[in-house]
Amino acid sequence: MSFEWRYVVRPDGSFWRTPNVDGALDSVTDEQLQGMWPLVDQHRGDREPVSCSRCGREVVLHWRAPAPGVMLELCEHCDSGRPAAADLIRWKRDPARRAVDLPLLFAMWETETMEAMGWVFHPPQA
């Protein structure tokens, strides 16, 4: 069984991902995928901005980590000195950069952030 993520990016740079097990979503367009999960967008505008737990400023991205109970924050003020975080911040802020490979940027940021929190990523065994 193969597993990878399928990303859907909105024009404002926000995005979400869903599992693509054994390539089941390979033939589905982004527009079709968006229509399959309308609840993802239904309450998007109702959310309060999330504040950084380190400096109190609004975060660029708030994401549930692959580790149980761990939330990841991407803060422009606190994280711009970390390479993967800086790349993802630039991607999020600049629509011209949206052609850059989001899955790779996101995976690098997620790994960098998890490692900074003391977690270690072990890639799946082939």
Side-chain angles (χ1 to χ4, degrees), residues 15 50-52 54 57-63 71-80 82 84-93 105-106 109 112-113:
F15 62 90
V50 176
S51 297
C52 176
R54 297 162 286 173
R57 297 180 176 145
E58 187 176 340
V59 296
V60 175
L61 181 64
H62 186 249
W63 199 270
M71 294 302 289
L72 306 179
E73 300 171 333
L74 178 60
C75 174
E76 193 163 5
H77 178 74
C78 297
D79 298 322
S80 61
R82 294 183 17 234
D87 285 344
L88 189 56
I89 289 167
R90 282 191 296 275
W91 181 92
K92 184 99 169 85
R93 297 284 188 218
L105 285 176
F106 185 82
W109 168 74
E112 177 182 77
T113 304

PDB file of all heavy atoms in Angstrom, residues 15 50-52 54 57-63 71-80 82 84-93 105-106 109 112-113:
ATOM      1  N   PHE A  15      -4.411  26.319   2.725  1.00  0.00           N
ATOM      2  CA  PHE A  15      -4.467  25.012   2.082  1.00  0.00           C
ATOM      3  C   PHE A  15      -4.881  23.959   3.080  1.00  0.00           C
ATOM      4  O   PHE A  15      -4.908  24.189   4.287  1.00  0.00           O
ATOM      5  CB  PHE A  15      -3.115  24.656   1.456  1.00  0.00           C
ATOM      6  CG  PHE A  15      -1.982  24.550   2.434  1.00  0.00           C
ATOM      7  CD1 PHE A  15      -1.681  23.343   3.050  1.00  0.00           C
ATOM      8  CD2 PHE A  15      -1.209  25.656   2.745  1.00  0.00           C
ATOM      9  CE1 PHE A  15      -0.643  23.241   3.948  1.00  0.00           C
ATOM     10  CE2 PHE A  15      -0.155  25.573   3.634  1.00  0.00           C
ATOM     11  CZ  PHE A  15       0.125  24.358   4.244  1.00  0.00           C
ATOM     12  N   VAL A  50      -5.258  32.855  15.246  1.00  0.00           N
ATOM     13  CA  VAL A  50      -4.502  32.121  16.265  1.00  0.00           C
ATOM     14  C   VAL A  50      -3.252  32.914  16.608  1.00  0.00           C
ATOM     15  O   VAL A  50      -2.540  33.376  15.728  1.00  0.00           O
ATOM     16  CB  VAL A  50      -4.126  30.713  15.743  1.00  0.00           C
ATOM     17  CG1 VAL A  50      -3.268  29.976  16.749  1.00  0.00           C
ATOM     18  CG2 VAL A  50      -5.383  29.922  15.415  1.00  0.00           C
ATOM     19  N   SER A  51      -3.012  33.080  17.904  1.00  0.00           N
ATOM     20  CA  SER A  51      -1.831  33.806  18.375  1.00  0.00           C
ATOM     21  C   SER A  51      -0.691  32.842  18.641  1.00  0.00           C
ATOM     22  O   SER A  51      -0.904  31.725  19.118  1.00  0.00           O
ATOM     23  CB  SER A  51      -2.146  34.557  19.661  1.00  0.00           C
ATOM     24  OG  SER A  51      -3.138  35.520  19.428  1.00  0.00           O
ATOM     25  N   CYS A  52       0.509  33.292  18.370  1.00  0.00           N
ATOM     26  CA  CYS A  52       1.713  32.515  18.621  1.00  0.00           C
ATOM     27  C   CYS A  52       1.871  32.314  20.131  1.00  0.00           C
ATOM     28  O   CYS A  52       1.756  33.271  20.906  1.00  0.00           O
ATOM     29  CB  CYS A  52       2.925  33.241  18.045  1.00  0.00           C
ATOM     30  SG  CYS A  52       4.501  32.433  18.387  1.00  0.00           S
ATOM     31  N   ARG A  54       4.532  31.776  21.596  1.00  0.00           N
ATOM     32  CA  ARG A  54       5.832  32.290  22.027  1.00  0.00           C
ATOM     33  C   ARG A  54       5.857  33.812  22.131  1.00  0.00           C
ATOM     34  O   ARG A  54       6.424  34.358  23.052  1.00  0.00           O
ATOM     35  CB  ARG A  54       6.926  31.804  21.069  1.00  0.00           C
ATOM     36  CG  ARG A  54       7.054  30.273  21.092  1.00  0.00           C
ATOM     37  CD  ARG A  54       7.778  29.741  19.888  1.00  0.00           C
ATOM     38  NE  ARG A  54       6.882  29.836  18.723  1.00  0.00           N
ATOM     39  CZ  ARG A  54       7.235  29.580  17.480  1.00  0.00           C
ATOM     40  NH1 ARG A  54       8.470  29.239  17.210  1.00  0.00           N
ATOM     41  NH2 ARG A  54       6.367  29.669  16.503  1.00  0.00           N
ATOM     42  N   ARG A  57       1.920  37.210  18.690  1.00  0.00           N
ATOM     43  CA  ARG A  57       1.487  37.740  17.386  1.00  0.00           C
ATOM     44  C   ARG A  57       0.690  36.689  16.634  1.00  0.00           C
ATOM     45  O   ARG A  57       0.746  35.500  16.949  1.00  0.00           O
ATOM     46  CB  ARG A  57       2.695  38.169  16.566  1.00  0.00           C
ATOM     47  CG  ARG A  57       3.454  39.291  17.213  1.00  0.00           C
ATOM     48  CD  ARG A  57       4.646  39.701  16.381  1.00  0.00           C
ATOM     49  NE  ARG A  57       5.282  40.858  17.011  1.00  0.00           N
ATOM     50  CZ  ARG A  57       6.563  41.066  17.013  1.00  0.00           C
ATOM     51  NH1 ARG A  57       7.372  40.246  16.396  1.00  0.00           N
ATOM     52  NH2 ARG A  57       7.060  42.120  17.615  1.00  0.00           N
ATOM     53  N   GLU A  58      -0.031  37.110  15.601  1.00  0.00           N
ATOM     54  CA  GLU A  58      -0.819  36.176  14.797  1.00  0.00           C
ATOM     55  C   GLU A  58       0.110  35.251  14.019  1.00  0.00           C
ATOM     56  O   GLU A  58       1.110  35.678  13.449  1.00  0.00           O
ATOM     57  CB  GLU A  58      -1.712  36.945  13.827  1.00  0.00           C
ATOM     58  CG  GLU A  58      -2.670  36.062  13.071  1.00  0.00           C
ATOM     59  CD  GLU A  58      -3.625  36.846  12.187  1.00  0.00           C
ATOM     60  OE1 GLU A  58      -3.821  38.059  12.423  1.00  0.00           O
ATOM     61  OE2 GLU A  58      -4.164  36.241  11.265  1.00  0.00           O
ATOM     62  N   VAL A  59      -0.223  33.953  14.005  1.00  0.00           N
ATOM     63  CA  VAL A  59       0.600  32.992  13.278  1.00  0.00           C
ATOM     64  C   VAL A  59       0.227  32.975  11.804  1.00  0.00           C
ATOM     65  O   VAL A  59      -0.899  33.301  11.421  1.00  0.00           O
ATOM     66  CB  VAL A  59       0.493  31.564  13.867  1.00  0.00           C
ATOM     67  CG1 VAL A  59       1.042  31.516  15.275  1.00  0.00           C
ATOM     68  CG2 VAL A  59      -0.919  31.036  13.804  1.00  0.00           C
ATOM     69  N   VAL A  60       1.179  32.592  10.972  1.00  0.00           N
ATOM     70  CA  VAL A  60       0.957  32.441   9.547  1.00  0.00           C
ATOM     71  C   VAL A  60       0.217  31.131   9.287  1.00  0.00           C
ATOM     72  O   VAL A  60      -0.639  31.037   8.414  1.00  0.00           O
ATOM     73  CB  VAL A  60       2.307  32.447   8.785  1.00  0.00           C
ATOM     74  CG1 VAL A  60       2.122  32.166   7.313  1.00  0.00           C
ATOM     75  CG2 VAL A  60       3.032  33.768   9.002  1.00  0.00           C
ATOM     76  N   LEU A  61       0.530  30.114  10.093  1.00  0.00           N
ATOM     77  CA  LEU A  61      -0.059  28.788   9.920  1.00  0.00           C
ATOM     78  C   LEU A  61      -0.133  28.097  11.271  1.00  0.00           C
ATOM     79  O   LEU A  61       0.790  28.184  12.080  1.00  0.00           O
ATOM     80  CB  LEU A  61       0.823  27.975   8.958  1.00  0.00           C
ATOM     81  CG  LEU A  61       0.397  26.560   8.614  1.00  0.00           C
ATOM     82  CD1 LEU A  61      -0.933  26.552   7.877  1.00  0.00           C
ATOM     83  CD2 LEU A  61       1.461  25.908   7.742  1.00  0.00           C
ATOM     84  N   HIS A  62      -1.238  27.415  11.506  1.00  0.00           N
ATOM     85  CA  HIS A  62      -1.469  26.648  12.732  1.00  0.00           C
ATOM     86  C   HIS A  62      -1.894  25.266  12.261  1.00  0.00           C
ATOM     87  O   HIS A  62      -2.859  25.152  11.512  1.00  0.00           O
ATOM     88  CB  HIS A  62      -2.573  27.343  13.542  1.00  0.00           C
ATOM     89  CG  HIS A  62      -2.812  26.760  14.870  1.00  0.00           C
ATOM     90  ND1 HIS A  62      -3.954  26.074  15.186  1.00  0.00           N
ATOM     91  CD2 HIS A  62      -2.063  26.767  16.000  1.00  0.00           C
ATOM     92  CE1 HIS A  62      -3.895  25.687  16.440  1.00  0.00           C
ATOM     93  NE2 HIS A  62      -2.761  26.089  16.947  1.00  0.00           N
ATOM     94  N   TRP A  63      -1.181  24.221  12.661  1.00  0.00           N
ATOM     95  CA  TRP A  63      -1.406  22.913  12.065  1.00  0.00           C
ATOM     96  C   TRP A  63      -1.276  21.808  13.100  1.00  0.00           C
ATOM     97  O   TRP A  63      -0.393  21.849  13.945  1.00  0.00           O
ATOM     98  CB  TRP A  63      -0.343  22.687  10.979  1.00  0.00           C
ATOM     99  CG  TRP A  63      -0.693  21.631   9.999  1.00  0.00           C
ATOM    100  CD1 TRP A  63      -0.388  20.296  10.102  1.00  0.00           C
ATOM    101  CD2 TRP A  63      -1.408  21.790   8.788  1.00  0.00           C
ATOM    102  NE1 TRP A  63      -0.870  19.628   9.016  1.00  0.00           N
ATOM    103  CE2 TRP A  63      -1.504  20.531   8.185  1.00  0.00           C
ATOM    104  CE3 TRP A  63      -1.981  22.876   8.135  1.00  0.00           C
ATOM    105  CZ2 TRP A  63      -2.149  20.318   6.968  1.00  0.00           C
ATOM    106  CZ3 TRP A  63      -2.616  22.676   6.934  1.00  0.00           C
ATOM    107  CH2 TRP A  63      -2.694  21.405   6.365  1.00  0.00           C
ATOM    108  N   MET A  71       0.439  20.687  18.452  1.00  0.00           N
ATOM    109  CA  MET A  71       0.045  21.683  17.466  1.00  0.00           C
ATOM    110  C   MET A  71       1.301  22.428  17.012  1.00  0.00           C
ATOM    111  O   MET A  71       2.138  22.790  17.834  1.00  0.00           O
ATOM    112  CB  MET A  71      -0.972  22.669  18.045  1.00  0.00           C
ATOM    113  CG  MET A  71      -2.305  22.047  18.392  1.00  0.00           C
ATOM    114  SD  MET A  71      -3.135  21.232  17.014  1.00  0.00           S
ATOM    115  CE  MET A  71      -3.620  22.622  16.024  1.00  0.00           C
ATOM    116  N   LEU A  72       1.413  22.642  15.711  1.00  0.00           N
ATOM    117  CA  LEU A  72       2.553  23.352  15.144  1.00  0.00           C
ATOM    118  C   LEU A  72       2.132  24.766  14.784  1.00  0.00           C
ATOM    119  O   LEU A  72       1.018  24.978  14.316  1.00  0.00           O
ATOM    120  CB  LEU A  72       3.057  22.641  13.883  1.00  0.00           C
ATOM    121  CG  LEU A  72       3.399  21.168  14.032  1.00  0.00           C
ATOM    122  CD1 LEU A  72       3.860  20.606  12.690  1.00  0.00           C
ATOM    123  CD2 LEU A  72       4.462  20.959  15.090  1.00  0.00           C
ATOM    124  N   GLU A  73       3.019  25.714  15.018  1.00  0.00           N
ATOM    125  CA  GLU A  73       2.768  27.116  14.686  1.00  0.00           C
ATOM    126  C   GLU A  73       3.868  27.612  13.762  1.00  0.00           C
ATOM    127  O   GLU A  73       5.030  27.296  13.965  1.00  0.00           O
ATOM    128  CB  GLU A  73       2.797  27.989  15.931  1.00  0.00           C
ATOM    129  CG  GLU A  73       1.779  27.636  16.970  1.00  0.00           C
ATOM    130  CD  GLU A  73       1.999  28.401  18.265  1.00  0.00           C
ATOM    131  OE1 GLU A  73       3.148  28.792  18.572  1.00  0.00           O
ATOM    132  OE2 GLU A  73       1.008  28.591  18.982  1.00  0.00           O
ATOM    133  N   LEU A  74       3.472  28.372  12.775  1.00  0.00           N
ATOM    134  CA  LEU A  74       4.441  29.051  11.911  1.00  0.00           C
ATOM    135  C   LEU A  74       4.250  30.538  12.148  1.00  0.00           C
ATOM    136  O   LEU A  74       3.230  31.118  11.777  1.00  0.00           O
ATOM    137  CB  LEU A  74       4.196  28.702  10.444  1.00  0.00           C
ATOM    138  CG  LEU A  74       5.116  29.373   9.429  1.00  0.00           C
ATOM    139  CD1 LEU A  74       6.571  28.998   9.681  1.00  0.00           C
ATOM    140  CD2 LEU A  74       4.702  28.998   8.014  1.00  0.00           C
ATOM    141  N   CYS A  75       5.217  31.145  12.813  1.00  0.00           N
ATOM    142  CA  CYS A  75       5.152  32.556  13.177  1.00  0.00           C
ATOM    143  C   CYS A  75       6.245  33.306  12.425  1.00  0.00           C
ATOM    144  O   CYS A  75       7.422  32.948  12.519  1.00  0.00           O
ATOM    145  CB  CYS A  75       5.342  32.712  14.682  1.00  0.00           C
ATOM    146  SG  CYS A  75       5.466  34.430  15.242  1.00  0.00           S
ATOM    147  N   GLU A  76       5.851  34.321  11.693  1.00  0.00           N
ATOM    148  CA  GLU A  76       6.824  35.078  10.914  1.00  0.00           C
ATOM    149  C   GLU A  76       7.901  35.685  11.811  1.00  0.00           C
ATOM    150  O   GLU A  76       9.077  35.692  11.462  1.00  0.00           O
ATOM    151  CB  GLU A  76       6.103  36.164  10.122  1.00  0.00           C
ATOM    152  CG  GLU A  76       6.956  36.795   9.067  1.00  0.00           C
ATOM    153  CD  GLU A  76       6.142  37.544   8.034  1.00  0.00           C
ATOM    154  OE1 GLU A  76       4.917  37.668   8.179  1.00  0.00           O
ATOM    155  OE2 GLU A  76       6.761  38.013   7.073  1.00  0.00           O
ATOM    156  N   HIS A  77       7.522  36.161  12.983  1.00  0.00           N
ATOM    157  CA  HIS A  77       8.471  36.794  13.894  1.00  0.00           C
ATOM    158  C   HIS A  77       9.421  35.774  14.529  1.00  0.00           C
ATOM    159  O   HIS A  77      10.633  35.980  14.567  1.00  0.00           O
ATOM    160  CB  HIS A  77       7.720  37.564  14.982  1.00  0.00           C
ATOM    161  CG  HIS A  77       8.615  38.213  15.979  1.00  0.00           C
ATOM    162  ND1 HIS A  77       9.346  39.336  15.693  1.00  0.00           N
ATOM    163  CD2 HIS A  77       8.912  37.878  17.255  1.00  0.00           C
ATOM    164  CE1 HIS A  77      10.048  39.677  16.752  1.00  0.00           C
ATOM    165  NE2 HIS A  77       9.801  38.807  17.720  1.00  0.00           N
ATOM    166  N   CYS A  78       8.880  34.670  15.024  1.00  0.00           N
ATOM    167  CA  CYS A  78       9.685  33.701  15.770  1.00  0.00           C
ATOM    168  C   CYS A  78      10.444  32.707  14.884  1.00  0.00           C
ATOM    169  O   CYS A  78      11.485  32.202  15.292  1.00  0.00           O
ATOM    170  CB  CYS A  78       8.789  32.906  16.723  1.00  0.00           C
ATOM    171  SG  CYS A  78       7.996  33.909  17.998  1.00  0.00           S
ATOM    172  N   ASP A  79       9.924  32.401  13.702  1.00  0.00           N
ATOM    173  CA  ASP A  79      10.470  31.302  12.914  1.00  0.00           C
ATOM    174  C   ASP A  79      11.218  31.705  11.655  1.00  0.00           C
ATOM    175  O   ASP A  79      11.738  30.838  10.953  1.00  0.00           O
ATOM    176  CB  ASP A  79       9.336  30.348  12.512  1.00  0.00           C
ATOM    177  CG  ASP A  79       8.654  29.727  13.720  1.00  0.00           C
ATOM    178  OD1 ASP A  79       9.359  29.412  14.696  1.00  0.00           O
ATOM    179  OD2 ASP A  79       7.425  29.575  13.688  1.00  0.00           O
ATOM    180  N   SER A  80      11.306  32.981  11.351  1.00  0.00           N
ATOM    181  CA  SER A  80      11.916  33.386  10.079  1.00  0.00           C
ATOM    182  C   SER A  80      13.401  33.059   9.983  1.00  0.00           C
ATOM    183  O   SER A  80      13.956  33.048   8.888  1.00  0.00           O
ATOM    184  CB  SER A  80      11.675  34.876   9.816  1.00  0.00           C
ATOM    185  OG  SER A  80      12.264  35.650  10.834  1.00  0.00           O
ATOM    186  N   ARG A  82      14.648  30.098  10.756  1.00  0.00           N
ATOM    187  CA  ARG A  82      14.796  28.674  10.471  1.00  0.00           C
ATOM    188  C   ARG A  82      14.579  28.456   8.972  1.00  0.00           C
ATOM    189  O   ARG A  82      13.613  28.972   8.405  1.00  0.00           O
ATOM    190  CB  ARG A  82      13.790  27.879  11.294  1.00  0.00           C
ATOM    191  CG  ARG A  82      14.093  27.990  12.781  1.00  0.00           C
ATOM    192  CD  ARG A  82      13.190  27.182  13.700  1.00  0.00           C
ATOM    193  NE  ARG A  82      12.428  26.147  13.069  1.00  0.00           N
ATOM    194  CZ  ARG A  82      11.091  26.045  13.192  1.00  0.00           C
ATOM    195  NH1 ARG A  82      10.415  26.913  13.897  1.00  0.00           N
ATOM    196  NH2 ARG A  82      10.461  25.053  12.609  1.00  0.00           N
ATOM    197  N   ALA A  84      13.548  26.022   6.697  1.00  0.00           N
ATOM    198  CA  ALA A  84      12.300  25.500   6.123  1.00  0.00           C
ATOM    199  C   ALA A  84      11.128  26.413   6.468  1.00  0.00           C
ATOM    200  O   ALA A  84      10.246  26.650   5.638  1.00  0.00           O
ATOM    201  CB  ALA A  84      12.034  24.079   6.615  1.00  0.00           C
ATOM    202  N   ALA A  85      11.111  26.936   7.676  1.00  0.00           N
ATOM    203  CA  ALA A  85      10.046  27.853   8.079  1.00  0.00           C
ATOM    204  C   ALA A  85      10.073  29.117   7.225  1.00  0.00           C
ATOM    205  O   ALA A  85       9.028  29.593   6.765  1.00  0.00           O
ATOM    206  CB  ALA A  85      10.184  28.209   9.557  1.00  0.00           C
ATOM    207  N   ALA A  86      11.259  29.661   7.000  1.00  0.00           N
ATOM    208  CA  ALA A  86      11.385  30.872   6.178  1.00  0.00           C
ATOM    209  C   ALA A  86      10.892  30.623   4.756  1.00  0.00           C
ATOM    210  O   ALA A  86      10.213  31.475   4.167  1.00  0.00           O
ATOM    211  CB  ALA A  86      12.833  31.353   6.168  1.00  0.00           C
ATOM    212  N   ASP A  87      11.205  29.453   4.200  1.00  0.00           N
ATOM    213  CA  ASP A  87      10.734  29.121   2.852  1.00  0.00           C
ATOM    214  C   ASP A  87       9.212  29.044   2.803  1.00  0.00           C
ATOM    215  O   ASP A  87       8.578  29.543   1.870  1.00  0.00           O
ATOM    216  CB  ASP A  87      11.320  27.786   2.385  1.00  0.00           C
ATOM    217  CG  ASP A  87      12.778  27.885   1.990  1.00  0.00           C
ATOM    218  OD1 ASP A  87      13.276  29.016   1.789  1.00  0.00           O
ATOM    219  OD2 ASP A  87      13.426  26.821   1.877  1.00  0.00           O
ATOM    220  N   LEU A  88       8.604  28.421   3.819  1.00  0.00           N
ATOM    221  CA  LEU A  88       7.141  28.301   3.828  1.00  0.00           C
ATOM    222  C   LEU A  88       6.480  29.659   4.063  1.00  0.00           C
ATOM    223  O   LEU A  88       5.434  29.951   3.477  1.00  0.00           O
ATOM    224  CB  LEU A  88       6.695  27.279   4.874  1.00  0.00           C
ATOM    225  CG  LEU A  88       5.217  26.889   4.840  1.00  0.00           C
ATOM    226  CD1 LEU A  88       4.799  26.369   3.459  1.00  0.00           C
ATOM    227  CD2 LEU A  88       4.930  25.829   5.901  1.00  0.00           C
ATOM    228  N   ILE A  89       7.080  30.502   4.882  1.00  0.00           N
ATOM    229  CA  ILE A  89       6.553  31.855   5.090  1.00  0.00           C
ATOM    230  C   ILE A  89       6.567  32.621   3.776  1.00  0.00           C
ATOM    231  O   ILE A  89       5.578  33.262   3.407  1.00  0.00           O
ATOM    232  CB  ILE A  89       7.361  32.614   6.168  1.00  0.00           C
ATOM    233  CG1 ILE A  89       7.076  32.027   7.553  1.00  0.00           C
ATOM    234  CG2 ILE A  89       7.041  34.114   6.151  1.00  0.00           C
ATOM    235  CD1 ILE A  89       8.043  32.484   8.634  1.00  0.00           C
ATOM    236  N   ARG A  90       7.672  32.553   3.034  1.00  0.00           N
ATOM    237  CA  ARG A  90       7.751  33.227   1.729  1.00  0.00           C
ATOM    238  C   ARG A  90       6.708  32.672   0.767  1.00  0.00           C
ATOM    239  O   ARG A  90       6.054  33.422   0.046  1.00  0.00           O
ATOM    240  CB  ARG A  90       9.151  33.095   1.134  1.00  0.00           C
ATOM    241  CG  ARG A  90      10.153  34.058   1.747  1.00  0.00           C
ATOM    242  CD  ARG A  90      11.460  34.095   0.977  1.00  0.00           C
ATOM    243  NE  ARG A  90      12.177  32.828   1.000  1.00  0.00           N
ATOM    244  CZ  ARG A  90      13.005  32.453   1.962  1.00  0.00           C
ATOM    245  NH1 ARG A  90      13.228  33.245   3.000  1.00  0.00           N
ATOM    246  NH2 ARG A  90      13.618  31.282   1.915  1.00  0.00           N
ATOM    247  N   TRP A  91       6.525  31.357   0.753  1.00  0.00           N
ATOM    248  CA  TRP A  91       5.529  30.734  -0.115  1.00  0.00           C
ATOM    249  C   TRP A  91       4.129  31.247   0.224  1.00  0.00           C
ATOM    250  O   TRP A  91       3.352  31.592  -0.652  1.00  0.00           O
ATOM    251  CB  TRP A  91       5.572  29.206   0.039  1.00  0.00           C
ATOM    252  CG  TRP A  91       4.590  28.505  -0.845  1.00  0.00           C
ATOM    253  CD1 TRP A  91       4.820  28.030  -2.100  1.00  0.00           C
ATOM    254  CD2 TRP A  91       3.222  28.215  -0.553  1.00  0.00           C
ATOM    255  NE1 TRP A  91       3.674  27.473  -2.601  1.00  0.00           N
ATOM    256  CE2 TRP A  91       2.679  27.574  -1.664  1.00  0.00           C
ATOM    257  CE3 TRP A  91       2.396  28.447   0.554  1.00  0.00           C
ATOM    258  CZ2 TRP A  91       1.350  27.151  -1.721  1.00  0.00           C
ATOM    259  CZ3 TRP A  91       1.072  28.039   0.504  1.00  0.00           C
ATOM    260  CH2 TRP A  91       0.565  27.394  -0.621  1.00  0.00           C
ATOM    261  N   LYS A  92       3.824  31.308   1.504  1.00  0.00           N
ATOM    262  CA  LYS A  92       2.482  31.707   1.964  1.00  0.00           C
ATOM    263  C   LYS A  92       2.209  33.175   1.669  1.00  0.00           C
ATOM    264  O   LYS A  92       1.096  33.538   1.305  1.00  0.00           O
ATOM    265  CB  LYS A  92       2.384  31.439   3.465  1.00  0.00           C
ATOM    266  CG  LYS A  92       1.042  31.704   4.074  1.00  0.00           C
ATOM    267  CD  LYS A  92       0.268  30.433   4.230  1.00  0.00           C
ATOM    268  CE  LYS A  92      -0.966  30.626   5.070  1.00  0.00           C
ATOM    269  NZ  LYS A  92      -2.103  31.085   4.361  1.00  0.00           N
ATOM    270  N   ARG A  93       3.200  34.030   1.796  1.00  0.00           N
ATOM    271  CA  ARG A  93       3.021  35.477   1.642  1.00  0.00           C
ATOM    272  C   ARG A  93       3.049  35.961   0.194  1.00  0.00           C
ATOM    273  O   ARG A  93       2.535  37.020  -0.110  1.00  0.00           O
ATOM    274  CB  ARG A  93       4.102  36.225   2.428  1.00  0.00           C
ATOM    275  CG  ARG A  93       4.059  36.007   3.918  1.00  0.00           C
ATOM    276  CD  ARG A  93       2.946  36.775   4.538  1.00  0.00           C
ATOM    277  NE  ARG A  93       3.038  36.711   5.999  1.00  0.00           N
ATOM    278  CZ  ARG A  93       2.001  36.609   6.785  1.00  0.00           C
ATOM    279  NH1 ARG A  93       0.802  36.558   6.275  1.00  0.00           N
ATOM    280  NH2 ARG A  93       2.147  36.560   8.086  1.00  0.00           N
ATOM    281  N   LEU A 105       7.863  21.713   0.574  1.00  0.00           N
ATOM    282  CA  LEU A 105       8.055  22.799   1.548  1.00  0.00           C
ATOM    283  C   LEU A 105       7.388  22.468   2.880  1.00  0.00           C
ATOM    284  O   LEU A 105       7.968  22.661   3.944  1.00  0.00           O
ATOM    285  CB  LEU A 105       7.467  24.109   1.022  1.00  0.00           C
ATOM    286  CG  LEU A 105       8.224  24.851  -0.051  1.00  0.00           C
ATOM    287  CD1 LEU A 105       7.421  26.073  -0.493  1.00  0.00           C
ATOM    288  CD2 LEU A 105       9.585  25.265   0.436  1.00  0.00           C
ATOM    289  N   PHE A 106       6.152  21.984   2.803  1.00  0.00           N
ATOM    290  CA  PHE A 106       5.409  21.686   4.019  1.00  0.00           C
ATOM    291  C   PHE A 106       6.082  20.553   4.796  1.00  0.00           C
ATOM    292  O   PHE A 106       6.248  20.637   6.015  1.00  0.00           O
ATOM    293  CB  PHE A 106       3.959  21.321   3.701  1.00  0.00           C
ATOM    294  CG  PHE A 106       3.144  21.129   4.937  1.00  0.00           C
ATOM    295  CD1 PHE A 106       2.610  22.216   5.602  1.00  0.00           C
ATOM    296  CD2 PHE A 106       2.947  19.868   5.471  1.00  0.00           C
ATOM    297  CE1 PHE A 106       1.878  22.053   6.771  1.00  0.00           C
ATOM    298  CE2 PHE A 106       2.223  19.689   6.631  1.00  0.00           C
ATOM    299  CZ  PHE A 106       1.681  20.785   7.275  1.00  0.00           C
ATOM    300  N   TRP A 109       9.133  21.872   6.546  1.00  0.00           N
ATOM    301  CA  TRP A 109       8.777  22.696   7.710  1.00  0.00           C
ATOM    302  C   TRP A 109       8.262  21.823   8.852  1.00  0.00           C
ATOM    303  O   TRP A 109       8.654  21.995  10.008  1.00  0.00           O
ATOM    304  CB  TRP A 109       7.717  23.737   7.327  1.00  0.00           C
ATOM    305  CG  TRP A 109       7.121  24.389   8.531  1.00  0.00           C
ATOM    306  CD1 TRP A 109       7.708  25.326   9.332  1.00  0.00           C
ATOM    307  CD2 TRP A 109       5.831  24.139   9.098  1.00  0.00           C
ATOM    308  NE1 TRP A 109       6.855  25.675  10.358  1.00  0.00           N
ATOM    309  CE2 TRP A 109       5.702  24.957  10.232  1.00  0.00           C
ATOM    310  CE3 TRP A 109       4.776  23.304   8.758  1.00  0.00           C
ATOM    311  CZ2 TRP A 109       4.558  24.958  11.023  1.00  0.00           C
ATOM    312  CZ3 TRP A 109       3.637  23.305   9.544  1.00  0.00           C
ATOM    313  CH2 TRP A 109       3.543  24.137  10.664  1.00  0.00           C
ATOM    314  N   GLU A 112      11.222  20.010  10.374  1.00  0.00           N
ATOM    315  CA  GLU A 112      12.067  20.962  11.099  1.00  0.00           C
ATOM    316  C   GLU A 112      11.412  21.370  12.421  1.00  0.00           C
ATOM    317  O   GLU A 112      12.063  21.413  13.469  1.00  0.00           O
ATOM    318  CB  GLU A 112      12.285  22.192  10.216  1.00  0.00           C
ATOM    319  CG  GLU A 112      13.087  23.303  10.852  1.00  0.00           C
ATOM    320  CD  GLU A 112      13.195  24.501   9.917  1.00  0.00           C
ATOM    321  OE1 GLU A 112      12.196  25.258   9.801  1.00  0.00           O
ATOM    322  OE2 GLU A 112      14.260  24.669   9.311  1.00  0.00           O
ATOM    323  N   THR A 113      10.123  21.643  12.396  1.00  0.00           N
ATOM    324  CA  THR A 113       9.407  22.087  13.589  1.00  0.00           C
ATOM    325  C   THR A 113       9.276  20.966  14.613  1.00  0.00           C
ATOM    326  O   THR A 113       9.482  21.175  15.810  1.00  0.00           O
ATOM    327  CB  THR A 113       8.028  22.650  13.209  1.00  0.00           C
ATOM    328  OG1 THR A 113       8.211  23.700  12.262  1.00  0.00           O
ATOM    329  CG2 THR A 113       7.287  23.191  14.419  1.00  0.00           C
TER     330      THR A 113
END
